[in-house]
Amino acid sequence: MDDIDGDGDLDVVMANTWFENQDGKGSKWAAHRNIPFGRVGPYGMCVRTAIVDIDGDGKKEVVMGEADIVGSKVVILHNLDGKGRAWSKVELPQSFTYGSLHSLAVADFNGDGQPDILVNEQEELLPPGRENPRWVLWENRGSGIFKERILLDAKLGGHDLRVGDVDGDGDVDICSKIWGPRDWNAVGGKMHVDFLENLTGRGKKKESKNFLSGGARFWGPMK
């Protein structure tokens, strides 16, 4: 939810449609099916959404990723007129065919003051032949440039990840669980919850520790 049309109240964004809160009280709505994104998969049209000023221009963009469909894309949607009547779409770079991305988070992971974009693939709905769901971060380098980086490629899928400063050291960490385990996953087909500690630019080394059936994983500097 956010103020899509600039009238001071909250509207709702859902896949290819946003809903205008016409009376500002939530009792009268108008559907605008003009968002250029969203495909119908086996469970309908499913997306994950964040509304944030991704480029630092003082205006909020809609970051949206597909879910529950193979070949998922992640895009940045620019509200061109500030009223939700005209949109442009920018696809984030992808170096391989993605599976279902049932997770999306936007946060400053490397401490440079610019919001980055994070997803992870499910263990279900991977492209044929793949058994390695990946956790992917797009580093925001400014001026509309995003660098795709694979944070984790360890046969551990994710679903509805969450981010925050888990260990109280001032940076943003990642926690995720799965929806349905696959026999080939890294913990012998068990359910798992995973914690990725952010070591970006800090030069820290810590011992790994068990976290349910998954484990603590670490990532280091982005170059």
Side-chain angles (χ1 to χ4, degrees):
M1 292 192 299
D2 211 294
D3 183 8
I4 299 299
D5 54 2
D7 63 356
D9 55 36
L10 290 177
D11 307 298
V12 177
V13 177
M14 184 192 74
N16 63 349
T17 303
W18 70 277
F19 296 88
E20 180 185 353
N21 185 355
Q22 289 190 312
D23 63 358
K25 299 178 180 180
S27 59
K28 185 179 180 182
W29 297 86
H32 300 278
R33 293 181 175 86
N34 63 351
I35 295 179
F37 194 62
R39 295 179 295 148
V40 176
Y43 304 104
M45 186 179 292
C46 304
V47 299
R48 290 294 177 265
T49 303
I51 302 176
V52 61
D53 181 7
I54 200 76
D55 54 12
D57 65 353
K59 302 175 183 178
K60 291 185 178 181
E61 288 74 43
V62 177
V63 181
M64 195 174 286
E66 291 179 309
D68 292 330
I69 193 169
V70 175
S72 290
K73 301 289 185 181
V74 180
V75 300
I76 298 171
L77 298 157
H78 295 269
N79 186 353
L80 296 177
D81 62 356
K83 298 182 181 296
R85 298 314 198 262
W87 299 86
S88 68
K89 178 177 69 176
V90 178
E91 286 192 8
L92 294 184
Q94 296 182 348
S95 60
F96 61 95
T97 301
Y98 287 26
S100 169
L101 303 177
H102 211 291
S103 294
L104 176 71
V106 178
D108 181 9
F109 289 95
N110 60 354
D112 66 355
Q114 301 188 101
D116 309 300
I117 299 170
L118 174 72
V119 298
N120 60 11
E121 296 179 294
Q122 294 180 243
E123 292 182 15
E124 315 94 313
L125 292 172
L126 286 172
R130 276 190 55 206
E131 295 182 350
N132 63 327
R134 293 163 172 160
W135 301 37
V136 180
L137 182 142
W138 285 275
E139 181 188 356
N140 185 349
R141 293 191 165 183
S143 302
I145 298 172
F146 288 83
K147 175 70 174 179
E148 177 198 42
R149 299 190 178 279
I150 298 173
L151 293 189
L152 186 69
D153 189 351
K155 289 184 177 287
L156 294 169
H159 183 272
D160 285 342
L161 62 80
R162 295 291 183 267
V163 301
D165 186 5
V166 175
D167 52 4
D169 64 354
D171 56 28
V172 182
D173 309 301
I174 308 167
C175 289
S176 185
K177 50 83 177 177
I178 60 166
W179 178 258
R182 291 297 181 260
D183 291 341
W184 45 254
N185 74 22
V187 291
K190 298 176 183 177
M191 294 292 291
H192 54 91
V193 178
D194 302 289
F195 166 47
L196 272 67
E197 182 183 2
N198 189 346
L199 305 184
T200 301
R202 295 180 178 273
K204 299 182 298 184
K205 292 184 178 179
K206 294 187 178 181
E207 293 182 3
S208 178
K209 49 188 176 294
N210 290 330
F211 194 71
L212 298 185
S213 296
R217 314 276 168 170
F218 312 116
W219 83 87
M222 294 186 286
K223 297 180 180 179

